[in-house]
């Protein structure tokens, strides 16, 4: 596979942009093909079968476009469909759960970790399972947060409503005295200013994006597939299964002029 092929990144919507922006920062030579499945967002209230089906369909599209690696920049998809995608496609597939868990296990002092996630990802049990594989002595409290993705997709990243909803979801983690909280959904880093503002300053938030990108760098290095120097700046492509203009509007609220246009692709 040629080194200049793009890296495929997908999510149910704009959340995966939190991973794409770190990828662009750390690997400016690489081109990204981003797919936001906005026709089916949120994934958090879907069945495991549907989530596997979406993951396979998107991966088929990305592989047909020639990507050299896929990042499932979606915790819900990583929790539920990663193995199915890995079995079906001939490119490496990186998820976000293991990188986030790894970083949280390193960070916690009290050995009590909280996770904010979608309901489907929380129900899958993937977070405690992965964390306990890394360190069986760490206690994990997972909180499903069905109202956060709609807030982010609507660009409501601050204000009294966002504070109230975030506060409700943080309460069980406060009661569980965790010192580290995984943002177990790629949409949530956009709410970090609100979350931090209403959390004890001793608590550390983990955004899995940086660790995920480090894993991608290691993998591409090992496979000798890092992009070589280009004559022109890297060109990224952003696709959405729903209307392109609404993805463009909310995407630009999140990551500014990183996105200049969005193609609508119905799968
Ligand atoms: N951003 C995704 C995640 O990381 C999915 C959120 C959703 O669509 O419910 O889980």
């Amino acid at each position: 596979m040629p080194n200049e092929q793009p890296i495929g990144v997908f999510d149910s919507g704009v959340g995966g942009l939190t991973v794409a922006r770190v990828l662009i920062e750390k690997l400016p030579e690489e081109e990204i093909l981003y797919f936001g499945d906005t026709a089916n967002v949120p994934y958090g209230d879907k069945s495991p079968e549907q989530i596997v089906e979406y993951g396979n369909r998107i991966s088929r599209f990305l592989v047909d476009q020639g990507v050299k690696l896929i990042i499932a920049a979606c915790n819900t998809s990583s929790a539920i469909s990663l193995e199915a995608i890995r079995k079906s496609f001939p490119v490496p597939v990186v998820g976000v759960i293991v990188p986030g868990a790894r970083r949280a296990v390193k960070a916690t002092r009290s050995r009590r970790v909280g996770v904010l996630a979608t309901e489907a990802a929380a129900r899958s049990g993937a977070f405690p399972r992965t964390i306990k594989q890394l360190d069986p002595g760490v206690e994990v409290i997972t909180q499903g947060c069905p109202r956060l993705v709609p807030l982010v997709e609507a660009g409501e990243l601050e204000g009294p409503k966002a504070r109230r909803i975030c506060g409700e979801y943080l309460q069980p983690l406060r009661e569980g005295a965790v010192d580290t909280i995984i943002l177990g959904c790629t949409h949530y880093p956009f709410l970090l200013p609100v979350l931090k503002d209403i959390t004890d300053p001793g608590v550390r938030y983990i955004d899995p994006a940086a660790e995920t990108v480090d894993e991608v760098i290691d993998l591409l290095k090992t496979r000798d597939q890092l992009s070589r120097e280009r004559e022109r700046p890297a060109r990224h492509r952003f696709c959405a299964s729903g209307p392109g203009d609404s993805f463009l509007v909310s995407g630009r609220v999140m990551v500014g002029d990183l996105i200049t246009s969005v193609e609508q692709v119905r799968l």
Side-chain angles (χ1 to χ4, degrees):
M1 168 124 353
N3 294 39
E4 309 318 316
Q5 295 300 102
I7 295 175
V9 179
F10 80 87
D11 178 47
S12 59
V14 292
L17 294 174
T18 55
V19 178
R21 70 180 169 190
V22 178
L23 193 60
I24 291 169
E25 250 166 55
K26 291 199 176 198
L27 288 176
E29 303 292 335
E30 299 292 339
E31 289 190 330
I32 293 177
L33 170 53
Y34 185 95
F35 191 92
D37 195 8
T38 47
N40 295 308
V41 72
Y43 280 6
D45 62 5
K46 305 294 189 301
S47 69
E49 293 73 23
Q50 280 172 303
I51 293 165
V52 169
E53 167 70 22
Y54 300 149
N56 277 332
R57 233 189 276 163
I58 296 167
S59 302
R60 164 56 51 217
F61 167 73
L62 295 173
V63 168
D64 287 348
Q65 299 295 309
V67 301
K68 61 184 172 186
L69 178 144
I70 294 175
I71 306 177
C74 171
N75 289 263
T76 312
S77 198
S78 298
I80 294 164
S81 56
L82 207 63
E83 287 320 309
I85 298 172
R86 280 191 177 136
K87 272 195 212 131
S88 308
F89 298 96
V91 295
V93 184
V94 174
V96 283
I97 302 238
V98 175
R102 211 186 289 131
R103 204 158 262 204
V105 165
K106 270 191 215 144
T108 181
R109 295 286 160 259
S110 65
R111 293 158 72 74
R112 300 182 69 76
V113 170
V115 182
L116 299 174
T118 67
E119 292 228 272
R123 227 179 295 125
S124 75
F127 292 99
R129 202 165 46 243
T130 309
I131 291 172
K132 284 187 178 291
Q133 272 162 9
L134 296 168
D135 185 341
V138 173
E139 285 310 314
V140 184
I141 301 172
T142 312
Q143 174 64 41
C145 312
R147 280 177 293 166
L148 295 189
V149 167
L151 269 185
V152 174
E153 288 287 326
E156 289 184 57
L157 308 182
E158 54 191 16
K161 185 174 164 197
R163 288 176 77 88
R164 181 173 42 77
I165 296 175
C166 288
E168 281 170 30
Y169 291 140
L170 282 172
Q171 192 53 30
L173 307 192
R174 243 179 243 133
E175 285 162 12
V178 303
D179 71 345
T180 303
I181 299 178
I182 299 178
L183 297 169
C185 169
T186 49
H187 281 69
Y188 301 170
F190 294 121
L191 291 165
L192 196 54
V194 168
L195 288 164
K196 272 192 171 159
D197 209 39
I198 55 176
T199 311
D200 182 290
V203 173
R204 183 162 167 197
Y205 279 96
I206 306 291
D207 174 355
E211 186 87 14
T212 304
V213 172
D214 289 346
E215 192 173 316
V216 168
I217 295 173
D218 286 347
L219 200 58
L220 290 177
K221 266 193 197 147
T222 311
R223 297 168 65 90
D224 192 22
Q225 277 191 325
L226 277 169
S227 171
R228 319 244 186 254
E229 227 169 280
R230 291 174 192 278
E231 282 157 20
R232 53 170 176 81
R235 282 188 209 131
H236 309 301
R237 243 180 101 193
F238 294 90
C239 304
S241 52
D245 44 357
S246 50
F247 186 98
L248 184 63
V249 170
S250 30
R252 286 182 76 102
V253 172
M254 322 288 168
V255 293
D257 49 14
L258 199 69
I259 308 185
T260 48
S261 64
V262 178
E263 295 161 48
Q264 182 169 21
V265 176
R266 290 207 180 84
L267 298 181

